[in-house]
Amino acid sequence: MQKPNDTTRREFLTTAAAIGAPLLVSPRTAFGSQASSRVTLGVLGCGGRGTWIAELFQKHGGYEIRAAADYFQDRVDNLGAKLQVPPERRHTGLDGYKKVLAGDVDAVAIESPPYFHPIQAREAVEAGKHVYLAKPVAVDVPGCRTVEESGRKAAEKQKAFLVDFQTRTDPLYREAVKRAQYGDIGRIVCGEATYFCGPTFDEQIKWVTEKPNDPEVRLRAWGLDRALSGDVITEQNIHALDVASWVLDAAPLRAVGTGGRRARSVGTCWDQWAVIFTFPKDVVVSFASKQLGQGWDDICCRIYGTEGTLDTHYFGEVSIRGKLPYRGGKMTALYQDGAVANIAAFHDSIARGDFSNPTVAPSVRSNLTTILGRTAALRGAPATWDEMIAANETLTADLSGLRS
Amino acid sequence: MARPVLALVALAVSVAGPPGHAGTPADVVTNSVGMRMVWVAPGSFVMGSPPGEPLRQEEETPHRVTLTRAFRIAATEVTQRQWLAVMPHGRSPQPGADRPVASVSWKEAQEFCLELSRKEGATYRLPTEAEWEYACRASAAAVTDLAAVAWYSENSDGTAHPVALKAPNAWGLFDMLGNVAEWTMDVYAPYPRDDAKDPTGPPAGPTRVVRGGSWRSFPPALRCAARVGTPESYQLAHVGLRVVQVVE
C-alpha cells in the first residue's frame, strides 16, 4: 500500500476546493470525433438502483444505453431487456465491466456495490470514459484516495466525473446551506446528523439466511457485508453526514463512537451507530443512525448557531429558524429529483466541456468523514482524521468462489 | 451545444480597454449631499465564479457580461447623514451620521433614489446587479486580505462602522464588501448561461438581490460573486444601499 505523502497528508481533502481547476474546452473535443450530442453510456452494476437510474438516463434523452455489466446474468438481462441493450453487449462476472470499458461507450454509470467503485472508476478514467459514480465513492481510505486521484485525472483528460448526491442539487438545500455559510444563523456552535430508518435489505437478509455460505449470495447480499458496502454508516448514513460537512465546509478532526448489530443476526454490518465528531473551531456534531425497527424514518442534519438553526430533512422541510429565518420548503421527491438533476448536469458538463468536476472533492471528504466515524465506533476509542489518513487501512472483501 | 466556449483564467475579470480603467480622479464629482460619485467606464467581465473557486456557490454560474454605458457609482454606502438630507425619517438601529443607513426596505431605497434625483436634477437609482459586481471587482484579482477592506463578522464587533475607514478597491470604492450589505435593482433569479449585455434581471419575482455581505457575515458572503435574494419589504439591520447616477 502506498504511504501517504507527509507534506500533503494534513491537507488531504479537508477543503472542498481541493480539486477542480476550471477547464472548459471545446464541445467538439468533449464529444470526441462523433460531434454528436448523444452520450453513449455503459451501466456497471444492474441491481435495483442501477436499473432504476439507467431508466432515468434513458428518459433524459441525451444518452444511449449501449452496454451493461453485472456479475449476475439475470441482473444484466433484466436491464438489457428493459433498455434494449443487445445480448452481445451484456457482460457478466467480476470482470464484466472491463468489456464495457474496452467498448465504444463515451461514459459509464457506476452503480455496482461500493467496494468496486474505486477500481472501476479508475479503470474507466484510464479508458477515457466520463464517469458518473454512485455514493459512497469508496469503502476505505485507499479507495477514497483512488477516487480523488481519478477525479483529478479525469479533469486532466478532459473527462467529466460526477458523484451522485441528491441533496447537493436541490435548490432549497442549496439556499439554506448558503445562508448558514453566509452567517444567517450566527456563529456555528454544534449540530446533529441523524439517519433513522427501518430495515433496508430485507430481501438480502432472506437470501443469506437461506444460504449462509454461498459466495454468490454473499455478493448479491452486498448490503449486509461490511467490506462490500462500507457498512451502514458509510453506505447509507453518508447522506446525513454529507450535509454536515457541506454546511461546515470542513472535515472532522476527530471522533468517538459506538454502535452494534442489535436487531439482525446475519451479515457483518452493524445496524445502529452513534458517533460524536469534532470539527474545526470546536464545532461538535453528534451523529446517530439505525437501520432497524418501525415507526420513525428521517434523514436530518440540523446545525445550531448563536442566532439561528438550520434544519434539513431529506424527506421533509428545509428551513432556517431564528433572527434571519428562511422559510425554505418541503422536499417532494428528492431521491428521484436529485438523480434526474445530476444526470442532466453530467450531460451538460460533457456537452459544454466543463470538466472542473466539482462534486468529487466534497464527496470524498464526506466519505472519509463516515469512515472516521466507523473507525472510532468499531474501535470503541477516539480516532483522529490524521491518524486515519496515515493508517490508510484497507477493507478487503472475500471474493473467493466468484468467477471473474 | 455549439455556442462559443468561455475561457476561464485565474483572473476572473477582464475589461475592454486599459485594465482597472474606471476613469480619472477628475471624473469623481461630489453632489449636494456629499456623495462622491466615481465614473465607471463601459467594459466587459465574467460575472459569477468559475467551478472550483473556493467558497463559491453553484448559483454563481459564470457568464460574460458587457456593460455598454458608463455610469457613476457612489464611493461609499449611503450614510445616515446623506439619507436624512433627502428623507424625512431614518430608523437605523446603530445611529451615527457617517455610518451607513440600514433597516431600509427595497422600496424605501427606491424612494430615496427618486427624491435624490429630484433634488439633484439627475437620475439616481440602485445599481443593477451586474453594475454592482463590475464595480466590486474593479478589474482586480480576488481580495486576499479581507480585514483590510471589509467590516465583517470577525472584526466588526457586531455593528456597522462609519463608511470609508477600510481600504478602497482599485476604483476607489469603499466597503463594497462588508459593513452593510447593499440592495441592487434586480429581481433575484438563477443566472442565464449566455453572455449578456446590460442585464437587468427578470421583470418580476419574489425577492431582490442583496450584495456584498455585511458586518454580520462570514467570509463566504464577502465575495464579489456572492448573492442573496431578499424580499423587498424586509428592513434588515445589516442591509443598506449605494446609489449609481446615470451618465447621459
Side-chain angles (χ1 to χ4, degrees), chain A residues 137-157:
Chain A
V137 300
V139 300
D140 55 19
V141 174
C144 287
R145 306 195 80 154
T146 298
V147 169
E148 182 216 5
E149 182 60 22
S150 297
R152 194 163 22 233
K153 277 198 178 138
E156 281 167 20
K157 296 177 81 165

Side-chain angles (χ1 to χ4, degrees), chain A residues 17 19-22 24-27 31 36-37 168 174-175 177-188 246 249 281 307 323-325 347-348 351-354 356-358, chain B residues 1-3 5-9 50-62 154 188 193 207 216-223 225-231 234 236 238:
Chain A
I19 301 175
L24 298 186
V25 301
S26 128
F31 278 110
S36 148
S37 65
R168 287 174 180 265
R174 281 180 176 174
E175 184 67 19
V177 169
K178 176 184 87 176
R179 285 167 185 258
Q181 290 178 336
Y182 282 8
D184 284 13
I185 63 171
R187 182 169 56 82
I188 291 171
W246 177 18
D249 193 19
K281 298 182 186 169
E307 296 181 8
K323 266 191 186 167
L324 293 174
H347 190 274
D348 192 55
R352 293 192 311 121
D354 174 358
S356 53
N357 300 334
Chain B
M1 200 84 28
R3 55 183 285 282
V5 170
L6 292 174
L8 295 177
V9 291
E53 185 173 288
L55 307 180
R56 88 181 284 269
Q57 298 287 336
E58 278 296 317
E59 65 181 345
E60 297 161 11
T61 311
E154 287 170 27
Y188 176 90
R193 277 256 175 74
T207 57
R216 63 176 305 148
S217 299
F218 295 169
L222 281 282
R223 296 177 300 116
R227 53 201 304 255
V228 176
T230 304
Y234 280 24
L236 297 168
H238 63 285

Side-chain angles (χ1 to χ4, degrees), chain A residues 3-55:
Chain A
K3 272 284 272 183
N5 179 330
D6 281 335
T7 56
T8 59
R9 182 165 61 83
R10 288 189 60 82
E11 291 161 5
F12 174 54
L13 290 171
T14 54
T15 65
I19 301 175
L23 283 171
L24 298 186
V25 301
S26 128
R28 187 172 302 167
T29 310
F31 278 110
S33 57
Q34 297 171 38
S36 148
S37 65
R38 234 164 138 79
V39 175
T40 56
L41 184 77
V43 181
L44 312 184
C46 306
R49 186 174 174 87
T51 307
W52 173 82
I53 208 163
E55 290 181 294

Side-chain angles (χ1 to χ4, degrees), chain A residues 188-203:
Chain A
I188 291 171
V189 176
C190 58
E192 58 186 293
T194 53
Y195 196 124
F196 295 124
C197 66
T200 306
F201 298 110
D202 271 348
E203 210 177 11

